[in-house]
Amino acid sequence: MIIGKYDPLKGERFQVLDETGAVVNEELEPQLTEEKLVGFYRQMLISRTADTKAFAMQREGRMGTYPPLKGHEAVQVGSAMAMEAEDWLFPHYRDLGALLIRGVPIHFVYLYWIGNEAGSRFPDGARVFPFTVPVGSQIPIGVGHALGAKLRKEKQAALISFGDGATSEGDFHDGMNFAGVFNAPAVFLCQNNKWAISVPRERQTAAKTIAQKAVAYGFPGMQVDGNDVLAVFSAVKEALDKARAGGGPTLIEADTYRMSDHTTADDASRYRPEEEVKAWEKKDPIVRFRNYLRAKGIWKEELEKNLQEEADKIVEEAVHQAENFPLPELEDIFRYTYKEMPPHLEEELAELKAAVEKRKAD
Amino acid sequence: MPALNIVEAVRLALREEMRRDDSVLVMGEDVGKNGGVFRTTEGLFDEFGEERVFDTPLSENGIMGTAVGLAVNGFRPVAEIQFMGFIYYTLNHLICHAARLRNRTRGNLSVPLVLRAPYGAGIRAPEHHSESTEALFAQIPGIKVVVPSSPADAKGLLKSAVRDPDPVVFLEPKKIYRAVKEEVPDIEYLIPLGKAKVVKEGKDLTIICWGAMVKVAEEVALKAQEEKVDVEIIDLRTLYPMDREAVINSVEKTGRALVVHEAPKAGGLGAEIAATINEKALLRLKAPVLRVTGQDITVPMPKTEDYYIPDAERVLRSIRKIMSF
Ligand SMILES: Cc1ncc(C[n+]2csc(CCOP(=O)(O)OP(=O)(O)O)c2C)c(N)n1
Ligand SMILES: [Mg+2]
């Protein structure tokens, strides 16, 4: 039992690995196969590789505004790996790392930030809600979805992910409040990366922790070390299992850091001290987990080389797919407004088409 | 065929749809045991139980957000907002998610929900209980805005709204909630969304209206008859997307048009209708299109609200103006 053990009001935080990757909590170290552990590491490498690539593509003019995930690898991978096939993910817009684990290949995320709606038309069967740009609005939607699963008596939970800034929105309050009242099978995962663009966490709430807010809604909340993939995995898994079993919602605050700019349009050096960034670089979630694997005798140079080569290949393929994806047609921007196109849209489409064709002909 | 008022017709529509389809849910504030503050959901809690008819915490934003989630998860929530004056809390989820999820997922996810709210002035209600701001909603691509004007229409339109694959804002004219009883078909009765109704045929002038204003138009039509003006009345029924064809067909016949709505004039649907007539039937017009509307002011409180709502006298004056053009 992890939930309930770490009192957020006392500032207690769940950790399995310390910043060097040494096990500090043997009792709660998850007993996972080597394959699974390598799987975590592999996903984190792919996430970072895909992220670095997206950032570079933006600089080359091949990508629109993109929100980097660097520093969030452990929280995204750990949480997504904790989900069961039937669960639904209501992601934070930074969640590339979680999406690809949940059956949404990287090129969808690329397409989305390149500016193509097809990027939100996820593959059939992927139980993932598209990114919500209005901050925090995925929270009550995820709760409603979870409530639906409960009404239908399906063993299914919703993992709802968002940032620290989002906790100031009314949607956070509504989502938490409705989930508590309806005992909805929802797990709230706050990726507290300390900043909401340029506004620090202290400006979002006078509360000591975000996790403690759960207390007021009548269900447990806890802080985990968000750069410790094992801690995130174990806490989220327990919370999801509890939700599916009818035990109600949980709020998990993952203590992490945005190692990059807010988006490619931002310059974080304008508002946050270099020393802070440097201090967090020492807590890099990937390095930490590598140390753990090395100590266990799992990590070798050879493994790193193979995994990185594979990650590079996957990302190259994603770039290729995104950049060669068929361009949307003019009709597409009308076609999905309603199930059936109403007469006024038929008319507008016909007029626009005529103008565009004339323009092309000239 | 029983004679019902609008409240009873709404209730009947909900009951029939809930019996027909297990995925239909009723949610909102006081909709459960209490049956809604206007009693539109009375008896549903007893018949369908708390899993299908449930009170939510007091938050319109929460109602709308969770309704979107329920709809994505295969339900057809019918969410009640107690008064239109409180519907603004739902706007973010309505505009950013309900209205656009089908488009942004290229048809993969959709949001078949109904957002019901009583609207309009004239019942001596407290502040914030009398607005009619339908025009705010008639500019949100992806949703439909429907307003019944009679008990039979309330039943037929609401049943269609519940079955519609897209989100529908269903605005109920509370001034006439219990004003009239009429025979409401007790059979499967569906009125298609997106289609207007010719309430009364006439050859001289078309009044375009909806909701509580249809009654005003009917009253005026009788008076106009005495002045030898034969009025045609079009009840839009669906405000958005609007049945332009019905409006144009009528105006092509009569050559004169008057829009009557309770909402403020500036940027109201009257402007949209007049512009549409200009675009499609200008040369058939014998006079400018006029509007009789609420004023561009805050809806007054009960002591003065009657100044605000268009009445027969104001409508008649505009008819005379058009006829003497
Ligand atoms: C409702 C809303 N307000 C403002 C914005 C602009 N905005 C985008 S991201 C962001 C900060 C979000 O911070 P946080 O929730 O901590 O997530 P993070 O980006 O740090 O991961 C802001 C203000 C928005 N997208 N939506
Ligand atoms: Mg943040």
Side-chain angles (χ1 to χ4, degrees):
Chain A
M1 278 291 284
I2 304 163
I3 296 163
K5 201 169 164 181
Y6 297 86
D7 187 347
L9 290 165
K10 297 199 183 113
E12 294 169 356
R13 192 185 68 150
F14 171 49
Q15 199 181 40
V16 175
L17 306 177
D18 72 6
E19 289 163 19
T20 68
V23 177
V24 290
N25 196 338
E26 260 170 49
E27 186 199 336
L28 290 175
E29 179 188 357
Q31 297 307 310
L32 302 168
T33 60
E34 178 171 333
E35 195 190 343
K36 185 114 188 174
L37 292 172
V38 171
F40 286 175
Y41 190 67
R42 175 177 172 272
Q43 290 294 352
M44 290 203 283
L45 275 189
I46 298 172
S47 300
R48 181 162 299 181
T49 308
D51 186 59
T52 310
K53 184 71 191 176
F55 204 97
M57 284 168 72
Q58 192 278 335
R59 293 296 188 251
E60 293 159 9
R62 295 158 70 192
M63 171 72 64
T65 302
Y66 168 81
L69 64 84
K70 191 175 178 197
H72 289 242
E73 291 85 354
V75 59
Q76 296 184 3
V77 169
S79 61
M81 296 286 265
M83 298 175 75
E84 296 293 336
E86 62 273 20
D87 296 337
W88 268 77
L89 173 67
F90 290 79
H92 183 35
Y93 47 74
R94 220 177 271 293
D95 262 338
L96 181 151
L99 257 68
L100 64 110
I101 293 169
R102 300 301 300 159
V104 180
I106 299 167
H107 73 270
F108 284 87
V109 179
Y110 283 176
L111 272 174
Y112 180 74
W113 295 114
I114 283 173
N116 187 335
E117 284 87 348
S120 294
R121 200 298 177 205
F122 297 155
D124 289 342
R127 296 188 162 207
V128 181
F129 196 74
F131 290 148
T132 52
V133 167
V135 162
S137 54
Q138 71 275 31
I139 302 173
I141 298 178
V143 171
H145 198 282
L147 176 58
K150 184 187 160 187
L151 291 176
R152 230 188 260 117
K153 302 188 173 50
E154 282 169 359
K155 293 249 168 293
Q156 174 194 112
L159 178 69
I160 307 169
S161 204
F162 48 88
D164 45 306
T167 65
S168 298
E169 291 284 0
D171 271 333
F172 172 76
H173 164 70
D174 282 324
M176 296 277 286
N177 194 40
F178 274 58
V181 166
F182 291 113
N183 201 40
V187 176
F188 301 91
L189 177 66
C190 177
Q191 303 187 29
N192 175 4
N193 62 8
K194 312 298 175 287
W195 294 91
I197 310 186
S198 70
V199 181
R201 147 66 184 84
E202 294 69 41
R203 266 296 156 105
Q204 303 299 343
T205 173
K208 253 215 185 84
T209 67
I210 287 168
Q212 75 192 57
K213 292 180 179 240
V215 176
Y217 295 100
F219 55 83
M222 68 179 290
Q223 277 195 312
V224 303
D225 185 334
N227 283 12
D228 173 354
V229 70
L230 296 181
V232 173
F233 171 80
S234 300
V236 173
K237 184 169 179 354
E238 188 175 307
L240 286 168
D241 290 347
K242 171 171 84 87
R244 258 181 258 109
T250 309
L251 168 64
I252 295 173
E253 174 188 359
D255 176 20
T256 184
Y257 193 74
R258 196 189 80 211
M259 290 169 76
S260 184
D261 296 323
H262 170 68
T263 65
T264 48
D266 174 51
D267 172 8
S269 70
R270 292 166 56 88
Y271 52 80
R272 65 181 189 185
E274 186 63 22
E275 310 84 71
E276 183 183 291
V277 183
K278 284 258 154 6
W280 275 94
E281 273 167 8
K282 296 207 184 78
K283 307 184 196 180
D284 188 314
I286 296 185
V287 175
R288 178 190 304 200
F289 196 57
R290 183 189 301 144
N291 291 343
Y292 171 75
L293 293 181
R294 186 191 284 130
K296 277 185 105 69
I298 295 171
W299 186 91
K300 313 235 162 49
E301 288 285 356
E302 177 77 8
L303 178 74
E304 180 79 18
K305 196 172 142 272
N306 292 343
L307 290 179
Q308 189 59 57
E309 270 173 17
E310 191 205 354
D312 290 340
K313 249 173 76 186
I314 289 172
V315 168
E316 269 324 307
E317 177 59 24
V319 172
H320 180 79
Q321 293 219 32
E323 294 195 325
N324 292 286
F325 199 85
L327 278 179
E329 290 171 16
L330 172 56
E331 282 85 350
D332 289 341
I333 65 176
F334 287 82
R335 193 175 280 153
Y336 305 101
T337 309
Y338 297 92
K339 178 106 192 273
E340 254 178 71
M341 200 185 293
H344 76 290
L345 288 187
E346 302 264 13
E347 199 181 311
E348 288 178 17
L349 172 60
E351 265 177 41
L352 182 59
K353 231 171 154 174
V356 168
E357 269 157 25
K358 178 75 173 64
R359 196 193 300 155
K360 273 190 199 149
D362 290 345
Chain B
M1 283 213 296
L4 303 178
N5 61 32
I6 291 182
V7 168
E8 292 159 340
V10 164
R11 191 187 298 147
L12 178 62
L14 291 173
R15 184 183 299 126
E16 287 182 4
E17 289 309 292
M18 293 189 78
R19 281 182 184 166
R20 185 188 59 82
D21 179 353
D22 281 347
S23 71
V24 179
L25 306 174
V26 164
M27 60 193 287
E29 296 156 12
D30 307 289
V31 298
K33 271 203 188 116
N34 193 35
V37 289
F38 285 101
R39 305 288 175 261
T40 47
T41 60
E42 198 169 66
L44 301 181
F45 178 86
D46 289 337
E47 179 170 349
F48 300 102
E50 61 178 0
E51 298 213 323
R52 294 189 61 200
V53 181
F54 51 85
D55 289 332
T56 63
L58 205 168
S59 165
E60 292 72 19
N61 181 58
I63 290 169
M64 192 62 201
T66 49
V68 170
L70 283 160
V72 169
N73 200 356
F75 288 89
R76 287 180 177 265
V78 181
E80 176 176 304
I81 303 300
Q82 280 185 347
F83 291 88
M84 196 177 195
F86 314 127
I87 206 170
Y88 313 118
Y89 279 109
T90 69
L91 285 183
N92 183 54
H93 284 285
L94 184 68
I95 297 173
C96 295
H97 297 300
R100 55 197 287 166
L101 202 56
R102 181 189 295 284
N103 179 64
R104 64 191 299 260
T105 62
R106 288 306 185 238
N108 196 28
L109 300 179
S110 59
V111 187
L113 61 76
V114 180
L115 188 63
R116 293 179 43 237
Y119 84 98
I123 64 156
R124 305 287 178 257
E127 210 181 356
H128 299 286
H129 288 68
S130 301
E131 355 292 303
S132 67
T133 48
E134 63 270 24
L136 293 179
F137 296 82
Q139 214 203 14
I140 306 174
I143 71 166
K144 298 179 182 176
V145 182
V146 175
V147 182
S149 66
S150 70
D153 275 23
K155 176 177 169 181
L157 289 168
L158 183 52
K159 282 171 71 82
S160 295
V162 171
R163 296 184 196 188
D164 199 87
D166 292 299
V168 178
V169 174
F170 193 84
L171 301 172
E172 298 163 10
K174 64 177 175 294
K175 183 176 158 72
I176 55 168
Y177 251 161
R178 298 169 195 277
V180 275
K181 284 206 177 213
E182 73 175 7
E183 308 244 302
V184 175
D186 56 359
I187 47 158
E188 178 78 348
Y189 179 57
L190 297 166
I191 299 174
L193 305 190
K195 292 272 176 243
K197 177 190 181 187
V198 180
V199 176
K200 176 191 170 301
E201 289 197 39
K203 58 179 182 8
D204 297 325
L205 179 147
T206 306
I207 294 182
I208 299 125
C209 53
W210 52 90
M213 291 299 109
V214 176
K215 292 277 163 294
V216 176
E218 283 173 328
E219 185 190 336
V220 166
L222 291 177
K223 292 189 175 159
Q225 202 69 55
E226 293 163 17
E227 300 179 22
K228 303 267 177 297
V229 181
D230 188 13
V231 170
E232 175 145 312
I233 302 173
I234 296 206
D235 174 358
L236 281 182
R237 282 178 163 169
T238 297
L239 307 189
Y240 184 78
M242 189 185 292
D243 186 353
R244 294 177 181 173
E245 199 187 335
V247 173
I248 298 307
N249 283 346
S250 175
V251 174
E252 283 190 337
K253 180 175 78 177
T254 60
R256 299 180 188 88
L258 174 65
V259 186
V260 181
H261 64 61
E262 224 181 295
K265 188 179 221 171
L269 281 170
E272 172 66 22
I273 294 164
T276 301
I277 295 171
N278 269 359
E279 283 170 6
K280 295 182 187 290
L282 184 66
L283 296 181
R284 305 298 279 267
L285 285 180
K286 298 171 191 148
V289 180
L290 294 193
R291 292 173 282 171
V292 178
T293 68
Q295 319 296 324
D296 291 319
I297 56 173
T298 303
V299 186
M301 286 172 70
K303 287 293 175 203
T304 42
E305 72 178 326
D306 290 342
Y307 290 133
Y308 180 84
I309 311 168
D311 61 5
E313 180 53 33
R314 286 181 55 208
V315 178
L316 261 179
R317 290 165 75 90
S318 287
I319 288 179
R320 290 183 198 124
K321 215 163 158 183
I322 292 174
M323 294 312 295
S324 62
F325 180 79

